[in-house]
């Protein structure tokens, strides 16, 4: 047989390809590689996002339980240190356990999903409720809408947000309009949640980096939710499954493993109509959601030190409908606003936030609302680090806005 | 073992499979007229709806073989426009596809490398067979090295072809060099067989300054217009309707070019998982209605990432769908490169008949490797299953057995080939890894044909940031540094 005649290939390769980075065993490349991230060794701003210390995450049980949005009994309970995909898994597990109507399905969901969010669910709840679908986003989303319209609470997974487009018709023309067109019959597809991993990871290139939230925020009838952390993911996903509106739930995939924090063990529900002020400040307000919050937080740390300013940071959490009051209150206080997101600027979420601010808080503004977003291009593999907002760009935006 | 079957294309309008009609004697279905022509003629004639009796008086429409129509007392067939050849039956018989015999799998060699039908043989010269073998070995060596390199963190991603080398290399070898190809992502062998060089592979994998794709795509998303292969997109099945449209373009061009010029077809590759996407169904249907010269090659390797075919479909593979769209169809043993070649040649010939018609080939295989470097397939299949397949049968060993049977190959040649190919791959690897990344201007170019005003302001803003914060960015790793943005801005749009 040929196999026995080949000289040991691996040994040869190891010799010829002197390793430069540690060999990772089975691990998902899209959520781990640091080697492919950007900045040079001398960088002071870029590459300063430290997930171990960032104030965005709860590193102790105490801060995790201080969250005033949690009900009293949960705040008296235990916490557990978990990452974001485990938090998703726990939310799904709770929904499956407590509500017979919950279904979880999508491509490769049965063995645990390519990002491990549905691990062990098929084993524990059976393949009648947790199952693989054929490879068709259009089909599986339509299927989910139908199931929801007949009383189930389906959680459909799209493997990557980049692959949601075949389901666009089903989402925009069907899910979003179901209740409205049913009129007084009241039939709707509430309980439908469409989960999808989104955002950049450093080397996803054209088809594994997109953040298409703005395409869905342009559709009445949908709710668009993007969690920033494991705690948020668990509470927002549980609320989404309980909601009677169809929900687009986008999970920043770089955070699946990178974001680890203390999360209450008990189930809890976070509001789907409230932004959250993560850090109070008085000179400038930064509005963002998902992964860029970590970038913003690192930039704020450097900017406050260098410029002696004080920056307020707001997580929108629900991108549509969004909490305009919290944002406007903050900007009326600080007089300056910066919106940060990964996807392209034109007609993005930033455009909506900026327009609302100038409409409702014009006389309080000390500077134009600045948008720090992806540039007007696709996410080319080698250029992602230049295209997606980094700490330097947010830092510079703070400076520009203060100096205006 | 699959029986030795002659290479018979399942042509939907004459095939006994599937048994769509319950035909009662003495009436026989007309086998004379082409299905397509019936449809076309019938639909082009508005009078069909207006006055049926008038039509029956007219001379020789294709469907005149229906001796009577629904409106007459003894009608045996209905002229419903949607199923022109359907006869009446008084037997209520439910069609159960599972009762049909599975579509046979064509092979030339058995798994011991013996030719099954000696009269037909392998239709391949010894020299060509050796070239095919060398290419398959080269591909598998490149796969091993690049998979390992990804594990070491030298590149971000890779996908191997293990178990499917014969499909890609065999089918590509049976086409004309100018035939247009659309790939999914596991057809590295198609590129290799067409002449994509190791340097070109490595430049794409490292997304360096010589990469044809300008460093924009993930590894293995090759593309080159010189070899008439469109650039790969990660999205699944989107290329299948493109292939139908491109084939229509070629059909028009084939008809208008000089008669002695070589006619071209389009070949489209995809997996059995992708065939679940709406795009697949839309593509085959439009290809059939427009009768385009396209060959649709499905690599059925048993898995779509983790999803086994039992979760993917319940019909008889992908081949069974050809009949539904009225498309001639073949199923082939993908581990048998000679069968792949013969089927592809036959499909190509069919695709050019009567100005064009689509053909579907389902190539059976087993995905020996993980889906990609991002996947660990032992989370959803047994290692023993994979080992079993590796040992039992694969396209490389099967061809090697045939070569050895003809004394064209031996252990020394094998060792020499492997060592030479390994060196070639590694030296291309080395060259490519040392090259700089492509110029930063390529981040913005080619989104639109010309830079837009908004893009211009973004480029200016980015250049300003890069210049004011030089320590934060590795611009020098890119060809031309920040200055490449100046070039972009200087260019008049």
């Amino acid at each position: 047989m040929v196999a026995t005649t080949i000289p040991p290939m691996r040994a040869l390769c190891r010799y010829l390809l002197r390793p430069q980075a540690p060999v990772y065993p089975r691990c998902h490349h899209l959520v781990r590689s640091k080697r492919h991230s950007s900045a040079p060794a001398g960088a002071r701003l870029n590459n300063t996002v430290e997930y171990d210390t960032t104030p965005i995450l709860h590193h102790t049980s105490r801060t995790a339980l201080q969250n005033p949005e949690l009900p009293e009994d949960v705040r008296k309970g235990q916490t557990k240190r978990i990452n974001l995909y485990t938090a998703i898994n726990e939310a799904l597990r709770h929904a499956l356990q407590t509500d017979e109507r919950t279904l979880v399905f999508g491509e490769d969901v049965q063995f645990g999903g390519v990002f491990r969010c549905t691990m062990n669910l098929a084993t524990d709840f059976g393949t009648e409720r947790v199952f693989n679908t054929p490879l068709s986003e259009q089909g599986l989303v339509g299927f989910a809408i139908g199931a929801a319209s007949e009383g189930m609470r389906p959680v459909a997974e799209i493997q990557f947000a980049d692959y949601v487009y075949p389901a666009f018709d089903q989402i925009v023309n069907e899910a979003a309009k179901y209740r409205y067109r049913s009129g007084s019959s009241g039939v709707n597809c509430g309980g439908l949640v469409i989960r999808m991993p989104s955002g950049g990871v450093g080397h996803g290139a054209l088809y594994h980096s997109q953040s298409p939230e703005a395409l869905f925020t342009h559709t009445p009838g949908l709710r668009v939710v993007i969690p920033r952390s494991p705690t948020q993911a668990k509470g927002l996903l549980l609320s989404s499954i309980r909601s009677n509106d169809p929900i687009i739930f986008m999970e920043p995939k770089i955070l699946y493993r990178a974001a680890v924090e203390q999360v209450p063990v008990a189930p809890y529900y976070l509001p789907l109509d409230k932004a959250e002020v993560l850090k109070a400040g008085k000179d400038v307000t930064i509005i963002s959601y998902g992964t860029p919050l970590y970038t913003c937080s690192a930039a704020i740390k450097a900017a406050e030190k260098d410029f002696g300013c004080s920056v307020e940071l707001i997580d929108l959490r629900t991108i549509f409908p969004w909490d305009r009051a919290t944002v406007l209150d903050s900007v009326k206080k600080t007089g300056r606003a910066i919106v940060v997101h990964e996807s392209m600027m034109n007609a993005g979420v930033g455009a909506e936030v900026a327009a609302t601010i100038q409409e409702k808080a014009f006389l309080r503004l000390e500077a134009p609302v600045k948008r720090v977003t992806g540039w007007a291009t696709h996410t080319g593999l080698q250029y992602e680090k230049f295209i997606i907002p980094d700490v330097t760009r947010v830092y510079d935006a703070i400076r520009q806005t203060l100096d205006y | 073992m699959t029986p030795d079957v002659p290479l018979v294309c399942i042509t939907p309008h004459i095939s006994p499979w599937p048994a769509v009609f319950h035909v009662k004697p003495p009436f026989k279905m007309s086998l004379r007229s082409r299905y397509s022509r019936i449809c076309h003629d019938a639909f082009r004639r508005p009078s069909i709806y207006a006055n049926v009796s008038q039509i029956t008086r007219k001379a020789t429409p294709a469907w005149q073989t229906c001796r009577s129509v629904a409106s007459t007392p003894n009608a045996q067939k209905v002229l419903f426009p949607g199923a022109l050849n359907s006869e009446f039956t008084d037997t209520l018989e439910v069609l159960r596809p599972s009762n049909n015999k599975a579509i046979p799998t064509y092979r030339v060699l058995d798994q011991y490398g013996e030719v099954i039908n000696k009269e037909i043989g392998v239709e391949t010269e010894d020299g060509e067979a050796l070239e095919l073998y060398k290419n398959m070995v080269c591909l598998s060596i490149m796969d091993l090295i690049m998979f390992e390199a990804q594990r070491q963190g030298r590149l971000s991603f890779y996908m191997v072809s293990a178990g499917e080398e014969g499909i890609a290399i065999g089918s590509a070898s049976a086409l004309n060099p100018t035939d247009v190809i659309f790939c999914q992502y596991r057809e590295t062998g198609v590129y290799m067989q067409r002449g994509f060089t190791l340097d070109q592979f490595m430049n794409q994998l490292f997304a360096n300054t010589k990469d044809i794709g300008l460093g924009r795509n993930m590894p293995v998303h090759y593309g080159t217009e010189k070899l008439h292969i469109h650039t790969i997109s990660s999205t699944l099945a989107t290329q299948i309707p493109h292939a139908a449209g491109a084939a229509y373009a070629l059909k028009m061009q084939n008809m208008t070019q000089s008669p002695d010029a070589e006619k071209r077809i389009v070949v489209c590759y995809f997996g059995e998982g992708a065939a679940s996407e709406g795009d697949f169904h839309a593509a085959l249907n439009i290809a059939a209605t427009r009768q385009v010269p396209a060959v649709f090659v499905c690599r059925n390797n048993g898995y779509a990432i983790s999803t086994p075919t039992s979760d993917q479909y319940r019909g008889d593979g992908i081949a069974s769908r050809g009949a539904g769209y009225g498309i001639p169809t073949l199923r082939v043993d993908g581990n048998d490169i000679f069968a792949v070649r013969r089927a592809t040649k036959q499909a190509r010939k069919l695709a050019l008949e009567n100005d064009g018609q689509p053909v579907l080939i389902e190539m059976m295989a087993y995905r020996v490797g993980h889906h990609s470097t991002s996947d660990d397939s032992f989370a959803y299949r047994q290692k023993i299953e994979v080992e079993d397949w590796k040992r039992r049968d694969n396209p490389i060993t099967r061809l090697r057995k045939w070569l050895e049977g003809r004394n064209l190959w031996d252990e020394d040649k094998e060792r020499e080939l492997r060592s030479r190919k390994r060196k070639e791959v590694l030296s291309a690897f080395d060259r490519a890894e040392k090259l700089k990344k492509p110029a930063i201007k390529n981040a913005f170019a080619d989104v639109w044909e010309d830079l837009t005003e908004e893009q211009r302001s973004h480029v200016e803003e980015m250049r300003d940031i890069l210049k004011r914060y030089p320590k934060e960015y590795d611009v020098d790793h890119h060809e031309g540094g920040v200055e490449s943005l100046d070039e972009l801005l200087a260019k008049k749009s």
Side-chain angles (χ1 to χ4, degrees), chain B residues 343-359:
Chain B
T344 310
K345 277 184 195 158
Q346 172 82 350
R348 189 179 188 283
K349 203 169 128 235
L350 277 174
L352 283 170
E353 277 176 10
N354 300 325
D355 290 332
Q357 65 174 338
V359 182

Side-chain angles (χ1 to χ4, degrees), chain A residues 33-40 47 201-203 254 385, chain B residues 437 474:
Chain A
S33 175
K34 275 196 175 167
R35 182 185 144 75
H36 297 278
S37 69
S38 47
N47 268 11
V201 293
H203 49 275
I254 197 168
K385 56 183 170 290
Chain B
K437 293 172 183 172
D474 257 344

Side-chain angles (χ1 to χ4, degrees), chain A residues 158-166 195-199 207-213 216 250-251 253:
Chain A
I158 300 283
Q159 202 157 70
F160 285 87
D162 310 62
Y163 302 149
V164 70
Y165 307 120
R195 292 179 43 240
M196 60 192 86
S198 66
Y207 303 105
H208 296 83
S209 314
Q210 297 173 57
S211 296
E213 64 273 8
F216 300 107
M250 294 185 168
E251 299 158 11
K253 58 183 169 286

Side-chain angles (χ1 to χ4, degrees), chain A residues 385-403:
Chain A
K385 56 183 170 290
F386 299 115
I387 295 167
I388 289 182
D390 54 24
V391 179
T392 306
R393 279 177 62 196
V394 179
Y395 173 89
D396 194 64
I398 297 172
R399 175 150 81 182
Q400 281 183 33
T401 306
L402 287 172
D403 289 351

